[in-house]
Amino acid sequence: DHKVAYTMPSVEGGRARFEEVAHWILKKTIHGSRASRTVNMLKPGAVIVSCLENDDEATAAAAILVGLIQAKILDIAPAGVLFLADLPPDHDGSLVHEAILNSHAVMVVLSPGSLESCQQLKVIVDALEAGIACIPINTPNFRFPGPEFFSVDLPLRYNEEATLVVAQMRKFLKSITVAFTTYASQQVLLVQAEATIDRLPPPKAGF
């Protein structure tokens, strides 16, 4: 068999890299850029999806998850879905913070390295501090942390803010997670993805 290799584009991040691959395979134009997708990114009431930044596997898992249930998400949150991976560079975190404060809920896709990511931890803490529903979704290779994560790792990283961060991370990781087994059959993936719908808050008045 003749095999053809394709190098993932490095210019775009987030889902745009996968759209480039689809364009190459299907020989068709994929409409919409990162800029056009994020025009309404701060629209109140969106469901935010957070995954490990610059991790293609985590981004792909998040995209598959949302693709399976997007119609049902829209029934609950008509503002739609915002992937943080699609946002332009946000060096001070203010864009992400504002998006979270205006969101309906936050889905956090956990993969190896998630708990070492400053952005992932900030997303979780900001959401819980604001009283926003924060749904943990664990991929197959994610490993839950041991006691040292709370007693040593977080205090070393956050100093004065450690007490707050530790409390919120304990709360987050004690909640029931949704398993998303990316290598499973489509039927299994659909069942698992729909379990996240049950965790979303009901529609809010005015959205």
Side-chain angles (χ1 to χ4, degrees):
D1 293 339
H2 180 63
K3 296 182 180 179
V4 178
Y6 180 82
T7 302
M8 293 285 283
S10 58
V11 177
E12 290 262 30
R15 291 176 297 164
R17 285 161 59 78
F18 300 97
E19 289 174 351
E20 288 290 332
V21 175
H23 169 74
W24 178 73
I25 293 172
L26 301 174
K27 302 296 188 294
K28 62 189 293 187
T29 301
I30 305 297
H31 297 286
S33 63
R34 176 188 294 189
S36 66
R37 283 196 302 268
T38 56
V39 169
N40 297 319
M41 58 191 168
L42 299 183
K43 185 177 180 181
V47 172
I48 288 179
V49 178
S50 174
C51 60
L52 184 62
E53 60 273 23
N54 301 317
D55 184 325
D56 289 335
E57 187 174 352
T59 302
I64 293 168
L65 170 72
V66 171
L68 290 169
I69 55 173
Q70 187 156 7
K72 292 185 178 181
I73 292 176
L74 289 171
D75 288 340
I76 296 172
V81 178
L82 168 62
F83 280 77
L84 294 185
D86 289 343
L87 291 180
D90 181 28
H91 302 295
D92 64 358
S94 59
L95 196 62
V96 170
H97 182 70
E98 185 176 354
I100 290 170
L101 294 183
N102 284 284
S103 69
H104 179 78
V106 178
M107 295 180 177
V108 181
V109 178
L110 298 169
S111 59
S114 285
L115 299 185
E116 285 76 55
S117 164
C118 291
Q119 178 175 300
Q120 284 277 75
L121 293 177
K122 179 173 173 53
V123 166
I124 295 165
V125 173
D126 283 357
L128 293 177
E129 276 291 285
I132 303 295
C134 195
I135 305 165
I137 301 163
N138 60 291
T139 56
N141 293 321
F142 174 74
R143 296 292 177 266
F144 287 89
E148 288 190 355
F149 174 72
F150 302 101
S151 62
V152 178
D153 296 347
L154 290 179
L156 283 175
R157 293 174 63 181
Y158 288 94
N159 298 318
E160 295 85 2
E161 298 180 348
T163 301
L164 168 65
V165 174
V166 168
Q168 298 293 14
M169 289 306 300
R170 285 189 186 277
K171 178 180 178 181
F172 175 73
L173 291 169
K174 281 183 178 179
S175 59
I176 299 174
T177 65
V178 176
F180 193 63
T181 314
T182 49
Y183 53 76
S185 68
Q186 185 169 350
Q187 183 178 4
V188 171
L189 288 175
L190 181 58
V191 170
Q192 293 178 337
E194 288 183 340
T196 64
I197 296 295
D198 297 334
R199 302 284 299 278
L200 288 175
K204 295 179 181 179
F207 290 122

